[in-house]
Amino acid sequence: MRKRNLWISLAAAAVMTPAAGASAEEYSAKEIEMKLTEAAMERNIPPEIVKAVAYAESGWRQTVDGEPVVSEDGGLGLMQVTPGEAAVYDEERLLTDIDYNISAGLDILEEKYGWTGGLLPETGAQRTDLEAWYFPVMAYNGLVQVNSPIYSDSGETNLNAYQEGVFSTVNSMDSNLETGTFSVTLEDLDYTEEGVGLSVTADRLEPSFTTESAFFRGEGDAVKVSSGANIRGGPSTGFGTEDDVQGPFFTIEDPVVYDERENQHFLWHEVQPLGTEDRSVYIAASLLQPADVSPLPLSTASESFTDVENNAVIGRFAASDFVGGYNNGTFRPENNITRAEIATILTRMIDNLPEGTDHPFADVEDGIWFEEAVTTASASGLLQGQGNGIFAPNKEITRQEIAVLLYRLAELTGTELTEKNDQTMTDVDAEWAEESVDVLTRADVIAGVGNNKFDPESPATRSQVVTLLYNLFYKP
C-alpha cells in the first residue's frame, strides 16, 4: 500500500512562474477536472491516472495570476510539456490553450504506453486498469534513476519516485480506492549511466492486483455495492444517506457524476436499485464493483419424467439441478409455479449471488426446504417480500410478474435483449410490467397466447418458466 498522501504536497512543491508576454483563460479546479476527465475518456486512458499526472506536474494550474505557467525546467502549462517535446507542438498554444496542452500531454503519455512490451515491461493489466499505466507514468517524467521503483542500495520501495507520487495521488483523490503494487528487484533494472540513466530489463512485471477504472462503466451496467457503503441522495457526502434503499445490486443510470464540492474530485455513479425505475441514488464509484453474476452452464444431459414428452429443455434443466421433479417421477409441467419454487430455481442456476445470512419473513420457517433460496433471493434483490414481514412462498406468480423478473435478470447478468420482431401485446395494463413484457416479446424471449394478447394476470406454469429461462440465457 502507498502510504504517502501527495494530493496536497505535490502542488505545493511545484515551482511555477508566469510566461512573459502570453495570457490564458483562468479555470477553476472543477473545470480542469472535467476537461482532464473528458479528454482521458476520449483516449481510453483512465482519468484517475491523467488527473494525478496533471496534479503532479502543475498542481492543476495552466495559469498563475492569469498568466501561463512555465516551470524551472521549461515545462509548459498544465501537463508541463517540456521544450524537447514541445518542438512538435505550437508553443504559444501550449501556453494559452488548455485543451491543446492536455491533448499534447496525453499524446506523450500514450507514446510511453506504447513502449509496453519493449522499453517497458508487460504487466498483464488491461488498458483501462490503473496499474497498466505505472511504468508509462514513470517514463512520462523520465527513465532516470531518481524514478527507480526501488533504491539500488537497499532494494526498498522508492516512495519518492515520480510514479509512486502519482499513484499515491490517485489513492488520495478517493480514500476508498487502493491500487496494486509491483514487486521489483535489482535484477529487473539496469542503471545504465552513473547517477542518471535507468532501464527496466524485466520482460514482465505484474501488479499484486489490478483496479479497473470506474469511468468506463456504462449506462445500464449492473454493479454490486460494498458492504457498509453509504448510499446518498446526491453526489456529495453533504447529502443524507438513503437508509431505506436495499442492495446489493444496482444498475447505472449515469456513470460519470462529479462531486458537487469544488475541492472534492472522486467519481459518483447515479444508480437505481435493481428492479426499480423511479428511484435514483448516488454511490461513490470506488465502492461499486461489476455485479459479476451469470447463469451457470446448462447440462447437455437430460433427465426424464413420466409426464414430460418431447421437452428436452425441462430434462436438461433437471439434469443441471436447476429444477426438480416429484418423488413419483413426475414433473407436473402444467402446475402453476410458486414464489418459493422460482426462488429455488434462480438461486440454483445464477452463479455468484450473495448468500444471505437471515431473512425478515415470518412465513418462512426455519429449516423449510426453500428457506435458503428465499434468503438468498431476498438478499440479492431478485425477489422481495409482500409487505408486513410476509414473503408468501406459496403464492402463485403471474405471467407479467415473471416477465418483470426475467427483465431484472437480464439487467443483472448483462444479457443483451436484441429486438427480433415488432410485436406488441395489447392487454398489459400494469405500468410496472409494460416495458418488461414489450422488450422481452420483441427479443423472442416470451410469447403471447394469440391475437397480440399476453394474458398477463394468469399464473405462470412450471414448464413455461423453464422455457422462458432457457430462451433468455441458453437458446442459440
Side-chain angles (χ1 to χ4, degrees), residues 153-198:
D153 55 352
S154 66
E156 294 181 356
T157 300
N158 176 15
L159 293 177
N160 292 313
Y162 176 82
Q163 68 278 6
E164 285 291 326
V166 167
F167 272 76
S168 289
T169 301
V170 168
N171 293 311
S172 298
M173 284 184 179
D174 187 340
S175 60
N176 300 309
L177 187 64
E178 184 177 349
T179 51
T181 57
F182 290 85
S183 179
V184 181
T185 68
L186 291 174
E187 288 73 24
D188 299 321
L189 306 170
D190 183 12
Y191 298 91
T192 54
E193 297 178 37
E194 186 65 29
V196 182
L198 172 72

